Amino acid sequence: MAQSKHDTDGATGSDLAACHPHHRILFDPVRIGPVVAPNRFYQVPHASGMTESNPRVRAAFRGTKAEGGWGVVSTGAVSIHPSSDDSPLPYARLWNDADIASHALTTDAVHQHGSLAAVELWHGGAVVMNRTSRLPPLSPSGVPWAATHIGFMGQQRPKPMDTRDIDAVLAWQRAATRRALDAGFDIIYVYAGMGYLGYEFLLPEYNWRTDGYGGSLENRTRFVREMLEVTREEAGGRAAVALRISLEELRAKPSDHYESEAHGVVSLLSDVPDLWDVKMDSSPNDCGASRFRPEGAHEPIIDFVRTVTDRPVVGVGRFTSPDTMVSQIKRGVLDLIGGARASIADPFLPDKIRRGNSDAIRECIGCNMCIASWHDGVPVRCTQNATAGEEWRRDWHPERFQRTKKTEQVLIVGGGPAGLEAALVAARQGYNVTVAEQHSDWGGRVLQESQLPGLAVWRRVRDYRVWALSQMGNVAMYTDSPMDADGISTLDADHIALATGARWTRHLYSALEIPSYPLSGPQVFTPEDVFNDAVVGDRVLVFDYDNYYLGGVIAEHLGRRGSRVVYATPAGHASAWTFMTNELPYVYKALGDQSVEILTTTNLDHFDGSTATLSNLFNGHPLTRGIDAVVIVGLRLPNTDLYEALQKLQAGGHESISNARLSLIGDALAPGAIAHAVHSGHGFSRGLLGGDDDRYLRDEPINLVTPQPAFDGGDKR
Ligand code: ADP
Ligand code: SF4
């Protein structure tokens, strides 16, 4: 358990000299069974999209968090057997001894910084479709996980497990535990959350069994207990045993003997694991978008656990404020502060608190672009931290920058996410940076969008960078400064980055499912008009084929403002891509709360100022709505006029800029999500140094071939 004396911890007294006294409790060591976490910062298991195919990317990603002070660093889900095959979603595995070496890279990277390495052993039960292994999925009673999103659907239904299957899973857990020990892990998980196998045994909806593993709460708990027991037996005191469990549904269930079934399960297993890792049941609630779920949203479900067990408890809540973390501990909710997204957005969060520099924390904005990466089947991307996943292959460190040896001027035009990130990275590398923004405030699209419902937290993208730039002595920042080519040519910059953003157009959508031609006429608006409060009309149609958050947020915003809103999209869902970011269920709730009419698979054909003519995308059936104004959220095109004017000056041999290196970055290069703009700005400035900073290695499974650059010569765009 946590020691009560704050100054006898893993960090020495002098380590904590700069730490705010109120925050020192966060640096207490915590005993977890046979091991001791050096502090309370615990990077809980989270998907990274990194598998046995990219072990070096993975080791550097996790190792960087240990370097940044996370006392425990965990893997994502590690499958114990081919019957737990989540493909095409990325997952790691410990199926045989050949898998050990790639995990040992991660444990080495974590141990190098004095942190503990935890492995989330996992069997997906009925949730996985075993698309590659083609083995029958396993389940307590044959109840399938019936996904509503096509990407997760599969036509393979699970086998009801007999006792031989149960014994087999226990044996696989035991074998994976042995391999995990060989790989060097200090904490080994049993997973009973998020719909996976252990969870299915606990929940009566999945578990219809009439044998000793079904029926009473004791019986339903038996499989998880046995999983914990074989893990402990095999670990033999060399590693701690953790239980990860979802408690939302269980807490909603009344129980004869306990306050709820959640209280019952935790009581029955109270001292079986060395650590309780407690969470919610569904991804949209567990890893909730900030748009709908505040910091610390799990507390009402998990707050009781520490009163029922004397084993340490870790939980998450998108915690980025050290005061909130301290409050969780002092109020007896958690012993260890779990971080998944907080640790992705800022791997050095603990270190910054330790140094008394919490202003410098790059706070997660809760946009869930990271979880979308996993749904996309690729390594993690983060809006706030462009270096996430790039630590090894591009050698981008989140806090360390090479310094230029030259005295060079970098001019950045545009103070949105791309421009601000480029300015910050260039300044940290020692360039003399000027950044000019035409508007009176910084932030570009983030400043505008963060005024819409639920998006206020996204302002952190701007706030962090503006604050960090204000700490630098080599940056000149000008707002109210629209730049043109002639003005730029007088500034004598060596490098010019145009971060001038993109603009929304009024293009409609064609039967080819691509943008067609612009809709002309009065009362046709774009998101920019919404930001400028220029959309007038009682009955508004939002036509969305951008399909991410913005169309839905605008519909919600206009509804809150008092308009009667119709939302139409050619896609199958409103804000269809927000499935990837865990927002979709809550988008529907938000639109429902504003009585927005939702028309899916619907195209907008025509609008004459009072009637919108629409048709079904697939069968062409027409429909009409009386409408005063249309907002089209569809095509964005880059703002490249300034870039082209400068190119002309250069081509004409204009003296003062003929040697300047011109670049487009962010949305001005290729419109995308904010994460793309930040990454683009970051990459531009890393690239200023040339040489190794242009590196882009391709990872390979361990022991097979030596990694090579992804590009061998040629044009490195
Ligand atoms: P990104 O996401 O790529 O950063 P944004 O649209 O968020 O793009 O930001 C672009 C910023 O560039 C906006 O704040 C816009 O006002 C600014 N900008 C565009 N053209 C100019 C210009 N000619 N001079 C100064 N600022 C400009
Ligand atoms: Fe947070 Fe967004 Fe980064 Fe995920 S992608 S860690 S939600 S800022």
Side-chain angles (χ1 to χ4, degrees), residues 53-138:
S53 308
N54 37 24
R56 296 164 188 82
V57 167
R58 182 170 68 186
F61 174 67
R62 300 291 184 191
T64 302
K65 300 192 197 202
E67 184 189 353
W70 293 88
V72 180
V73 176
S74 311
T75 63
V78 175
S79 169
I80 59 172
H81 185 263
S83 61
S84 181
D85 155 22
D86 219 4
S87 55
L89 293 170
Y91 62 96
R93 52 169 203 249
L94 267 172
W95 290 351
N96 60 35
D97 289 359
D99 290 331
I100 293 171
S102 75
H103 289 284
L105 279 188
T106 296
T107 57
D108 283 351
V110 170
H111 290 155
Q112 200 184 333
H113 302 286
S115 303
L116 299 177
V119 61
E120 184 186 46
L121 298 185
W122 159 77
H123 197 290
V127 169
V128 294
M129 297 293 161
N130 295 343
R131 291 174 174 91
T132 303
S133 72
R134 304 197 67 175
L135 296 172
L138 298 176

Side-chain angles (χ1 to χ4, degrees), residues 401-412 422-434 469 472-476 494-495 661 684-690 693:
F401 299 86
Q402 282 192 48
R403 304 279 298 180
T404 177
K405 296 189 176 64
K406 302 179 195 155
T407 310
E408 285 186 326
Q409 313 294 323
V410 177
L411 170 66
I412 291 158
L424 185 57
V425 174
R428 286 177 169 167
Q429 292 176 149
Y431 291 92
N432 295 320
V433 178
T434 301
L469 283 162
M472 309 292 298
N474 52 343
V475 183
D494 300 291
H495 304 272
R661 188 176 139 192
F684 161 77
S685 289
R686 293 271 186 178
L688 291 171
L689 290 162
D693 285 80

Side-chain angles (χ1 to χ4, degrees), residues 9 87 118 154 208-209 239 274 295 364 367 426 459 487 489 525 541 555 562 592 634 693 695:
D9 57 29
S87 55
W208 302 349
R209 300 178 76 96
D274 297 313
E295 187 179 16
C364 167
C367 62
R459 225 184 110 98
S489 68
F525 298 100
L541 170 71
D693 285 80
R695 104 179 191 160

